[in-house]
Amino acid sequence: MIDYLSPKGRVLIKNTMRFGALLFIFYNAFTEFHKSLYSVAIMAGLIIIVGCNDFIREKFFRSYMSVWYCLSFIFSSAMNAYFTYKFMGQGTSIYSITLIVDILMFDDKIPKFLLIINFIAYAIPYKIRYNLSLEQIFLNYFGIFIVVSIMRSIFFEKMKAEKLNDELNNANLKLKEYSDKIEELTVSKERTRIAQELHDSIGHSLIALSMNLEYAENVVDIKPEKAKEVINKAHAMSKNCIVKLREVVSVMKEDSSVNNLHEAINKLFLNFKSNEKYKFNLKMYDGIEEETNNIKSCIYKTVMEGITNGIKHGKAEEFNVEIEKACDNILFKVTNNGLGCSNIKKSNGTLGIEKRITELGGSVKFYSENGTGFIIDAIIPVGGKEL
């Protein structure tokens, strides 16, 4: 089905009108000169030339900015003036409309120069042969101009609506793409958060569990009661691991909250207390308990990761944790006596520490002193940003 308001539809209407107008002009010429076949043949040839000229203009010179388009249009206007002078009829009137349609309907700007030329060509035969006043000629031409202008307004409004609709569809597609990307990033972020939570909580517990079982294996023959005590402790820790795993997988909590930091850190130490080779020392400023859960949770996870990494990678046996407050900043340090590290490659654990602290507006350094041990040295401003 043809959409007559579309560009193709407009071209079809115009060409149909033009073809019909040329047929009417030939009919008027034949009616006027039917007694002279020579005159009819000449008029038929001129009409064919005009038709060919219009076809060439339509096919090859589509913009009125082209000199050839302008010359072609002027030729068609002049020939229509000649036909009107020779034999005025329906054909010349319709053809006049097609010429106005040609310069009004197919460009955003109206070529005023061509419009003036077209009006002059329209006015001359009516003034010379039919002696109409300029006022009458102008009113006739203006009437055609108004009708075509209304059609032009309808067509261009439709084009604008279609363009806006296309832009809206494109915007909706982009919005959907952005929505899909946001969803993908959200899923990725949540996976990363869950992975970090697994690493922070269960990773620490598994290291502690491994250390206790290894100790129990070594002393089972010489200290069976001590080995049994350690195994019982390991059993309790394994149950705790299952509880933490369920919490992480079900994502029941947005973040782990720490109500009592001193108590939470001591519980971390208790995971290894049964193993006699590990020693832990905690020095903590009491006012830290008044800080937000975000800050206390960050400190707790940093201490937990420091112990886990120290045992797993540094073979450390002694840990010192210092937490104090000075000048509206919380300073905390986790040190161990494990192997030194001159070239620190950040793992998931250290990257997690760094991320949590920087999100609170703080900073952290990782280093070894004199080639031994490992130190996590961090500072968090009081009232730091929310996670």
Side-chain angles (χ1 to χ4, degrees), residues 1 21 128 162 198 208 243 266 292 316 320 330 376:
M1 185 175 179
I128 295 175
E162 288 177 347
L198 285 169
V243 172
N266 277 325
T292 64
N320 296 291
I330 296 174
I376 301 172

Side-chain angles (χ1 to χ4, degrees), residues 10 302 320 345:
R10 282 179 281 162
T302 301
N320 296 291
K345 294 182 180 179

Side-chain angles (χ1 to χ4, degrees), residues 13-47:
I13 292 172
K14 183 185 70 172
N15 288 338
T16 302
M17 288 177 62
R18 179 179 290 149
F19 181 74
L22 292 175
L23 285 179
F24 270 116
I25 291 172
F26 177 76
Y27 173 76
N28 296 142
F30 181 78
T31 303
E32 184 75 21
F33 304 110
H34 67 279
K35 294 181 180 179
S36 173
L37 292 177
Y38 177 74
S39 298
V40 171
I42 290 176
M43 287 300 169
L46 290 175
I47 292 169

Side-chain angles (χ1 to χ4, degrees), residues 133-382:
S133 66
L134 286 175
E135 183 180 355
Q136 288 177 305
I137 295 170
F138 178 77
L139 287 175
N140 289 340
Y141 189 86
F142 186 69
I144 299 172
F145 178 84
I146 289 297
V147 172
V148 177
S149 295
I150 292 172
M151 293 172 61
R152 165 193 166 89
S153 177
I154 294 172
F155 291 149
F156 277 92
E157 284 300 320
K158 183 177 184 296
M159 287 178 63
K160 287 180 181 177
E162 288 177 347
K163 184 178 179 181
L164 288 173
N165 189 52
D166 289 341
E167 289 177 354
L168 184 62
N169 288 334
N170 290 333
N172 285 334
L173 287 174
K174 288 183 179 178
L175 207 60
K176 188 178 184 306
E177 289 177 6
Y178 292 149
S179 176
D180 292 341
K181 287 181 181 178
I182 289 171
E183 183 179 354
E184 184 180 338
L185 288 172
T186 303
V187 171
S188 177
K189 185 177 180 180
E190 186 62 15
R191 285 174 178 168
T192 302
R193 189 182 77 84
I194 292 172
Q196 188 67 55
E197 187 68 26
L198 285 169
H199 180 276
D200 291 342
S201 57
I202 299 176
H204 168 84
S205 298
L206 291 176
I207 289 293
L209 187 62
S210 175
M211 294 298 103
N212 279 290
L213 290 174
E214 183 181 344
Y215 175 77
E217 182 183 12
N218 292 334
V219 300
V220 66
D221 294 328
I222 55 176
K223 297 180 180 179
E225 291 299 322
K226 185 66 176 177
K228 184 178 179 180
E229 178 188 339
V230 173
I231 290 172
N232 288 335
K233 180 70 175 177
H235 187 227
M237 290 173 61
S238 68
K239 288 182 178 179
N240 187 46
C241 276
I242 293 172
V243 172
K244 288 182 179 179
L245 179 61
R246 286 172 178 167
E247 288 179 354
V248 173
V249 172
S250 61
V251 199
M252 294 176 64
K253 297 190 291 183
E254 181 64 25
D255 200 357
S256 301
S257 60
V258 176
N259 295 321
N260 190 311
L261 181 60
H262 193 280
E263 181 181 332
I265 292 175
N266 277 325
K267 282 184 179 180
L268 284 178
F269 295 164
L270 285 174
N271 289 335
F272 298 92
K273 281 290 186 179
S274 300
N275 195 328
E276 296 173 343
K277 71 176 182 178
Y278 295 113
K279 295 181 180 179
F280 300 93
N281 300 300
L282 173 63
K283 291 173 62 178
M284 177 176 158
Y285 170 66
D286 291 337
I288 301 298
E289 298 292 358
E290 299 174 4
E291 300 301 327
T292 64
N293 278 338
N294 284 333
I295 291 177
K296 291 192 288 184
S297 176
C298 177
I299 295 171
Y300 171 77
K301 290 182 178 180
T302 301
V303 173
M304 180 169 60
E305 187 61 37
I307 294 172
T308 302
N309 277 352
I311 293 174
K312 182 178 178 182
H313 301 295
K315 310 303 180 185
E317 296 179 354
E318 184 175 344
F319 295 86
N320 296 291
V321 180
E322 299 177 19
I323 308 170
E324 58 182 340
K325 186 174 179 180
C327 301
D328 293 328
N329 288 307
I330 296 174
L331 313 174
F332 65 98
K333 185 184 292 187
V334 181
T335 63
N336 65 54
N337 66 344
L339 302 174
C341 184
S342 58
N343 183 23
I344 298 173
K345 294 182 180 179
K346 294 179 181 179
S347 61
N348 288 336
T350 49
L351 288 172
I353 292 172
E354 193 172 61
K355 182 174 182 293
R356 282 188 293 271
I357 291 173
T358 53
E359 283 181 345
L360 290 171
S363 61
V364 62
K365 295 185 293 184
F366 306 99
Y367 59 94
S368 293
E369 280 187 344
N370 302 321
T372 59
F374 190 79
I375 300 172
I376 301 172
D377 195 355
I379 178 171
I380 298 176
V382 174

